Amino acid sequence: EEAFVYSRFGNPTVTMMERRLAALEGSSGCIGTGSGMSAILMLVMALLKGGDHIVCSQSVFGSTIRLLQDFAKFGIETSFVSQTDVGQWRAAMRPNTKLLFAESPTNPLTEVCDIAALAEVAHAGGALLAVDNCFCSPALQQPVKLGADLVIHSGTKYLDGQGRVVAGAVCGPAELIDAKFVPVMRSAGMSLSPFNAWVVLKGLETLSVRMQAQSARASTLARWLQEQPAVERVYYPGLASHPQHALAMAQQSGCGGAVVSFVVKGERAGAFATIDATRICSITANLGDTKTTITHPASTSHGRLSEAQRQAAGITQGLIRVAVGLEDIVDIQTDLQRGLAGLA
Ligand SMILES: *Cc1c(COP(=O)(O)O)cnc(C)c1O
């Protein structure tokens, strides 16, 4: 008889979270995992074998790039291509390509990929498209509605929303989840803890209002930053100056999301002075919290790259990333102004 016999295989609280997240994403199935990274590990283990090939954006989360590169030792090769140039994705397709992997918008430069166009490329080549929907969450963007087959989540970010737990999930067709993913979960055990699933369930109850409110604050902050003499450039999909502004508005329910990046005058010293002068923002590389977090990508998320690799990726020393929370935006502007005032 089918039942909850052991929590590595299935658990009532985890199942409730999976059903609600699937409903939000518009997919028929979902499987919770212990972290966002273990969701990606499970994706590759469930769908690919030695000799298969992946096409992936070169701008995805750093650990995702490292994990996919690690699969080379099992005979699974990954080609990394431009986030925004669909032609590069098409050109990278091979007869053995089984999976396309994208993330939109990206961290920290908020580059947006055309999910519907990538789904077409994937399906024309007999492959599946997986989209990491961490930055928008289903409250703003539903990749399945745009043609994606699978959606990856780090529940650690906006789904929890208050920096309390590490969690992850893969959403997709129920038949595919049952046939390919559940057996991997049962044997490999990247299971989500019921307590963490319960915390994410509480987070999902406020996801929509948090995403709307944090995105609105980020939009106000991005517009304000554009006018500051100490700020050289602002990266935010909600700004008309963003190269994929129209696409982002169409894909993301007219919202830019809650992450804003910007370049200050004075390179590394200017960025450090701005970050160190803050009193409200938390200095941390995490994101998705209701408390605003601020980080220096060149020395944290992209700290292990060479200076040449960083330049190629557009991660300059003056770049600062802010993941906007729920504080009054004037308080955040005042907090940033403390450091910016000395740079102009
Ligand atoms: C944080 C993050 C992940 C990894 O999630 P964890 O829960 O930390 O394992 C994957 N993708 C993106 C876009 C992320 O921001």
Side-chain angles (χ1 to χ4, degrees):
E1 189 180 325
E2 285 297 317
F4 295 111
V5 292
Y6 193 67
S7 284
R8 168 153 46 82
F9 307 165
N11 170 278
T13 311
V14 174
T15 298
M16 185 179 284
M17 191 217 81
E18 291 167 346
R19 287 186 183 157
R20 290 191 187 165
L21 186 56
L24 285 167
E25 285 289 0
S27 64
S28 54
C30 173
I31 186 161
T33 56
S35 67
M37 289 320 301
S38 63
I40 301 172
L41 173 68
M42 159 173 277
L43 175 80
V44 179
M45 285 183 70
L47 297 178
L48 286 91
K49 60 180 187 319
D52 288 343
H53 174 244
I54 303 171
V55 182
C56 180
S57 163
Q58 66 196 10
S59 309
V60 297
F61 190 61
S63 300
T64 306
I65 292 184
R66 239 164 285 140
L67 177 62
L68 295 182
Q69 284 172 337
D70 280 347
F71 270 101
K73 73 180 174 199
F74 301 113
I76 299 170
E77 212 188 316
T78 304
S79 302
F80 293 96
V81 296
S82 155
Q83 167 81 356
T84 53
D85 180 357
V86 180
Q88 280 196 28
W89 292 75
R90 200 174 289 118
M93 295 295 287
R94 301 179 191 167
N96 59 339
T97 304
K98 295 285 164 60
L99 181 70
L100 276 66
F101 191 100
E103 178 186 316
S104 188
T106 58
N107 178 25
L109 298 180
T110 71
E111 291 178 317
V112 173
C113 68
D114 186 335
I115 296 172
L118 295 185
E120 254 181 61
V121 172
H123 299 154
L128 298 176
L129 173 65
V131 176
D132 184 332
N133 201 24
C134 176
F135 267 58
C136 277
S137 91
L140 302 185
Q141 172 172 276
Q142 293 160 308
V144 170
K145 295 220 170 115
L146 299 165
D149 303 284
L150 296 144
V151 178
I152 304 295
H153 271 292
S154 167
T156 318
K157 313 294 170 49
Y158 292 103
L159 301 188
D160 166 9
Q162 295 183 57
R164 298 166 293 191
V165 298
V166 173
V170 180
C171 296
E175 319 77 65
L176 189 68
I177 300 277
D178 289 343
K180 301 275 191 185
F181 290 75
V182 171
V184 174
M185 173 66 76
R186 289 179 74 108
S187 55
M190 55 281 274
S191 323
L192 175 59
S193 96
F195 178 75
N196 288 4
W198 177 78
V199 172
V200 171
L201 272 168
K202 302 316 288 176
L204 292 182
E205 292 174 11
T206 56
L207 179 66
S208 174
V209 284
R210 279 188 284 110
M211 291 311 296
Q212 296 290 338
Q214 289 177 228
S215 183
R217 283 164 175 73
S219 174
T220 304
L221 184 69
R223 273 163 239 281
W224 176 82
L225 282 167
Q226 262 188 329
E227 288 160 12
Q228 302 312 306
V231 173
E232 291 177 346
R233 183 165 178 189
V234 182
Y235 298 89
Y236 184 66
L239 293 176
S241 58
H242 188 280
Q244 294 101 35
H245 173 65
L247 174 64
M249 293 301 97
Q251 281 187 172
Q252 302 173 196
S253 314
C255 292
V259 176
V260 182
S261 293
F262 57 101
V263 178
V264 294
K265 286 186 178 159
E267 309 215 344
R268 188 183 179 95
F272 277 28
T274 307
I275 293 169
D276 286 341
T278 61
R279 293 182 210 157
I280 295 172
C281 300
S282 303
I283 304 175
T284 169
N286 192 29
L287 64 100
D289 204 306
T290 50
K291 291 182 189 160
T292 297
T293 58
I294 189 165
T295 190
H296 181 247
S299 62
T300 57
S301 56
H302 295 70
R304 281 188 262 182
L305 302 180
S306 70
E307 190 55 34
Q309 285 173 316
R310 263 196 298 273
Q311 292 296 334
I315 312 295
T316 59
Q317 291 291 340
L319 184 72
I320 294 173
R321 189 201 74 193
V322 176
V324 181
L326 283 179
E327 302 91 342
D328 190 313
I329 200 62
V330 175
D331 287 342
I332 299 302
Q333 288 166 352
T334 307
D335 208 31
L336 293 173
Q337 186 58 28
R338 273 190 258 276
L340 291 176
L343 304 180

